[in-house]
Amino acid sequence: METFTGLRMDRFAKLVKAVREWGRKGPREGRPGACSIINIKPARVGGHLEARRLHDLAHGVPVWCGGMLEAGIGHAANVAFAALPGFTLPGDTSGSHRYFATDITDPFVLADGHPDVPTGPGLGTQPLPDVLKEVTTSTEGIAL
């Protein structure tokens, strides 16, 4: 039995360069063997717009969504992002209880190994006002 360990690429500069090169030439002609898995962490690559661009350039290289311990609102964005068709590997979208005793949104709960994608307006979830008030340390108004 042969064992294979995939090489995961998730460092921003190398990831962007490799994925853009693959976008022009394809993974086999561009940099064969550069990596076999792409881990896209939206917080590390400049946000969800840049992360989506990388996702769209992956061209058949298996992709998974990495997280960086986001609270409920950021987690909701990552769950929706990880639901795009190019994501073929499980990502860092576990249940809220693994990271927080209390989250600022309704908790994400795993069903069959993955969280449901929120379906409400915007990111699909809203902060819980009482919890948000409890953890807020200061506020500042901005005149429009």
Side-chain angles (χ1 to χ4, degrees), residues 132-141:
L132 189 59
K133 183 176 181 180
E134 183 180 318
V135 298
T136 299
T137 58
S138 68
T139 61
E140 185 173 331

Side-chain angles (χ1 to χ4, degrees), residues 81-96:
F81 183 56
L84 291 172
F87 287 94
T88 57
L89 300 170
D92 293 339
T93 53
S94 189
S96 300

